[in-house]
Amino acid sequence: MSFTLTPMLSSRFLKLGNGGAGHRTKDSRLFGWLDRHYASWLAWALAKPHVIVGVALLVFATTFPLNALVGRSFIPNEDQSEFQITVDGPEGMSLEGMSEIVLDVSRELGAIEEVAHVEPTIFERPNHAHIQVQLVPIEERTRSQSQVVTQVREYLGRRPSLKPIVIEKSALGGGETGAYPINVNLLGPDLPTLADYTMRLLEESQKLESLSDKKVTVNISNPEIRVDVDRQRAADLGVRISTVARALRLMVAGDDEISWYREGGEQYPVKMRVLESQRRDMEAVGKLTVPSARGPVRIDNIADLERGVGPTIIQRFNRQFQLMFMADLKPGHALDEASNDVRATVRGLNLPPGYGARYGGQTRILDQTTTNLILAIGLASIFMYMVLAAQFESFLQPIVIMLALPLSVPFALLTLWATNRTLNLWSALGVLLLLGIVKKNSILQVDYTNVLRARGVARNQAVIEACRTRLRPILMTTAAILAGLVPTALGLGIGGGQRSAIAVTIIGGQSLCLFLTLLLVPVAYVLFDELEQKVIGGGASRWLGRVSAATIGRFRTAP
């Protein structure tokens, strides 16, 4: 476009000559006022460079407190007009009892004005249900998804017998456990001991203001009938342990498929098991028979049966038992704040040797992304310096140009704090793009200053004249960039809320740091030029003189 479209449009629309269209904007009262005042500001800044440098250092120092105020997260929740609720009932609850509770909850949720559809589902186990809630389109409701979720949490909190969790869908996906921003896996060799530490973590997490919807996967209180086989007696009767296990799995659990049949072009599996009243009766289970070498043998003849409690499911990682702690973020709290709170709580557990914690979910992704973004920004700065050093044939002038980069970061963070946003993946990408945009103004100033000095203009006069000449294109390009980002910053349309973070970061960082860099770059140019003349230039001349004299001396004394 710069080599084809722009010259063509210029030839069609721009007019040459005195009083032509090409001179009206430059000769306007507004620009004349800006030019006069900017020239006086430049003269004052060059006369008192320590003030500008001090202000720049002070602005850069605010990066660290602003970073703490803004906070970091990975991907903010988007209003997708839907969310999911997981409900856990008491251990041992029947499917019929759980169905009645879930249907009652669904009717209450359906009465909310913004709710369009509610779909309850019970799967995995009888006391575990999922409720999918669909809201009316965002343009047809007055409340946001987060506000509706807050109301739903208050309603579910009035049911103490249930363990409800409200999950706002993330762009990451990840299923039920992967949707939680906070995910900590406690590992250890003994399941009961590990369960005790997990419950302690849950108890201590209730004191944290940054977390909501805390949940642990501790499920060791599920009622069960334990069958303790007397291996010696079973061996004497010719009964194998695997035979007892298959019989119980077939008759009690009903997991084995014994046949199948077709009906209407569909094939259905056939499973069998004893009646529910018999499955719950320990004596009835003991009367079940298993085959042996001497004929059928009752289970209670070779095993002791007793009631107890145990885990619903056993999870392992790296050959250790694993239990999860999951939590969501309260509104107004960033992910890094909550992660630091949880890490401090885990350290306070004082886990014994052999036990540990593994952080997953968005916490782990945030740490990896932060490291990668810092590496990307560092490499981008190095490559930028190399290109500028080759372009300007100087080692110091690229530093002058790149001084605007660290100053844009605190202004970007200030914009995020003022708009109540966090430093997430999208706003971090906005910072990365901002670094590439802010340096163009410095390039315009430094490049034209070098052109004027090559024509014989004095340094300070060249700096002032170059900055005044480049002020208009700097303001024009900045205004064009900001105007082009306004539609994205408004966050309209599906997914616009996340994309707007990129535009808002660039708009705030570019507009706010512009006023400081317009004065800092000329001041830095003069200071680094003096440094080059005094230290690098003079030192290099003296070093080359000593080397030349020593070389000539050796040649003279050589035979």
Side-chain angles (χ1 to χ4, degrees), residues 10-83:
S10 299
S11 67
R12 296 291 180 180
F13 291 99
L14 297 183
K15 304 295 183 181
L16 298 178
N18 295 331
H23 296 276
R24 292 175 183 172
T25 304
K26 188 173 183 179
D27 298 334
S28 64
R29 293 183 178 179
L30 176 61
F31 184 77
W33 181 86
L34 288 175
D35 181 60
R36 290 192 302 272
H37 284 75
Y38 182 50
S40 62
W41 294 339
L42 277 175
W44 178 85
L46 293 178
K48 299 182 178 180
H50 59 279
V51 177
I52 303 299
V53 174
V55 172
L57 292 175
L58 181 63
V59 169
F60 177 72
T62 60
T63 303
F64 306 100
L66 283 173
N67 181 59
L69 288 175
V70 170
R72 295 182 299 119
S73 60
F74 186 59
I75 293 181
N77 290 330
E78 180 73 12
D79 193 332
Q80 301 183 21
S81 298
E82 62 176 338
F83 57 89

Side-chain angles (χ1 to χ4, degrees), residues 70-78 170-173 178-182 329 333-337 339 360-373 422-429 498 501:
V70 170
R72 295 182 299 119
S73 60
F74 186 59
I75 293 181
N77 290 330
E78 180 73 12
S170 170
L172 296 175
Y180 290 93
I182 301 296
L329 304 179
H333 296 271
L335 177 59
D336 64 332
E337 176 190 356
S339 299
Q362 294 186 25
T363 301
R364 179 173 58 86
I365 300 176
L366 176 64
D367 294 338
Q368 295 175 348
T369 304
T370 301
T371 303
N372 292 334
L373 279 173
T422 61
L423 184 61
N424 51 59
L425 178 63
W426 307 120
S427 52
L429 290 176
Q498 295 185 351

Side-chain angles (χ1 to χ4, degrees), residues 152-200:
V152 171
R153 282 174 174 158
E154 293 176 354
Y155 163 70
L156 295 175
R158 297 195 293 267
R159 291 177 172 261
S161 61
L162 302 179
K163 298 177 182 178
I165 300 294
V166 182
I167 303 173
E168 295 187 65
K169 288 195 172 181
S170 170
L172 296 175
E176 179 181 345
T177 58
Y180 290 93
I182 301 296
N183 192 320
V184 184
N185 300 302
L186 296 184
L187 308 173
D190 183 67
L191 185 58
T193 304
L194 190 64
D196 291 339
Y197 281 107
T198 307
M199 294 305 298
R200 282 182 53 192

Side-chain angles (χ1 to χ4, degrees), residues 113-238:
E113 181 181 357
E114 290 82 4
V115 174
H117 180 68
V118 180
E119 181 182 351
T121 307
I122 297 178
F123 66 97
E124 292 182 350
R125 54 188 187 273
N127 69 322
H128 182 74
H130 287 196
I131 303 176
Q132 191 73 21
V133 180
Q134 185 79 31
L135 304 180
V136 298
I138 186 172
E139 61 273 6
E140 299 179 11
R141 47 187 164 91
T142 57
R143 293 194 300 174
S144 66
Q145 176 179 298
S146 298
Q147 292 174 322
V148 177
V149 167
T150 301
Q151 179 184 353
V152 171
R153 282 174 174 158
E154 293 176 354
Y155 163 70
L156 295 175
R158 297 195 293 267
R159 291 177 172 261
S161 61
L162 302 179
K163 298 177 182 178
I165 300 294
V166 182
I167 303 173
E168 295 187 65
K169 288 195 172 181
S170 170
L172 296 175
E176 179 181 345
T177 58
Y180 290 93
I182 301 296
N183 192 320
V184 184
N185 300 302
L186 296 184
L187 308 173
D190 183 67
L191 185 58
T193 304
L194 190 64
D196 291 339
Y197 281 107
T198 307
M199 294 305 298
R200 282 182 53 192
L201 176 59
L202 178 62
E203 181 181 355
E204 293 296 327
S205 67
Q206 304 298 332
K207 306 174 185 177
L208 302 179
E209 295 293 335
S210 57
L211 300 182
S212 67
D213 287 354
K214 300 95 171 177
K215 178 182 179 181
V216 293
T217 59
V218 177
N219 47 14
I220 59 174
S221 59
N222 188 49
E224 65 182 11
I225 297 177
R226 296 175 180 174
V227 181
D228 186 12
V229 179
D230 187 341
R231 294 178 178 269
Q232 184 60 47
R233 183 169 178 78
D236 294 340
L237 296 176

Side-chain angles (χ1 to χ4, degrees), residues 250-413:
L250 173 66
M251 304 302 293
V252 179
D255 293 336
D256 291 346
E257 180 181 335
I258 62 173
S259 182
W260 57 270
Y261 75 96
R262 289 182 178 274
E263 181 179 337
E266 297 289 339
Q267 179 174 306
Y268 299 92
V270 177
K271 298 181 180 180
M272 62 174 292
R273 60 177 177 175
V274 299
L275 298 175
E276 182 178 358
S277 59
Q278 296 173 326
R279 297 197 302 269
R280 294 178 177 272
D281 188 356
M282 188 167 57
E283 294 183 1
V285 173
K287 293 178 181 179
L288 296 176
T289 59
V290 294
S292 70
R294 302 181 183 180
V297 177
R298 285 176 41 160
I299 291 180
D300 54 8
N301 285 337
I302 58 172
D304 294 328
L305 282 71
E306 61 179 6
R307 294 190 179 275
V309 292
T312 304
I313 185 173
I314 296 177
Q315 295 179 332
R316 287 180 173 271
F317 178 82
N318 198 19
R319 296 186 177 183
Q320 288 184 309
F321 290 108
Q322 171 181 275
L323 293 177
M324 288 186 185
F325 169 82
M326 297 165 288
D328 204 348
L329 304 179
K330 280 188 178 180
H333 296 271
L335 177 59
D336 64 332
E337 176 190 356
S339 299
N340 293 334
D341 291 343
V342 172
R343 284 191 171 98
T345 305
V346 171
R347 288 194 297 267
L349 296 178
N350 296 321
L351 296 174
Y355 293 82
R358 185 174 65 94
Y359 296 90
Q362 294 186 25
T363 301
R364 179 173 58 86
I365 300 176
L366 176 64
D367 294 338
Q368 295 175 348
T369 304
T370 301
T371 303
N372 292 334
L373 279 173
I374 292 175
L375 178 62
I377 292 175
L379 291 176
S381 301
I382 293 174
F383 295 147
M384 192 185 304
Y385 176 85
M386 294 171 62
V387 171
L388 292 175
Q391 177 181 354
F392 287 91
E393 298 181 352
S394 171
F395 289 109
L396 292 182
Q397 288 187 2
I399 299 178
V400 175
I401 295 173
M402 295 175 64
L403 283 177
L405 304 187
L407 291 181
S408 63
V409 175
F411 287 115
L413 294 176

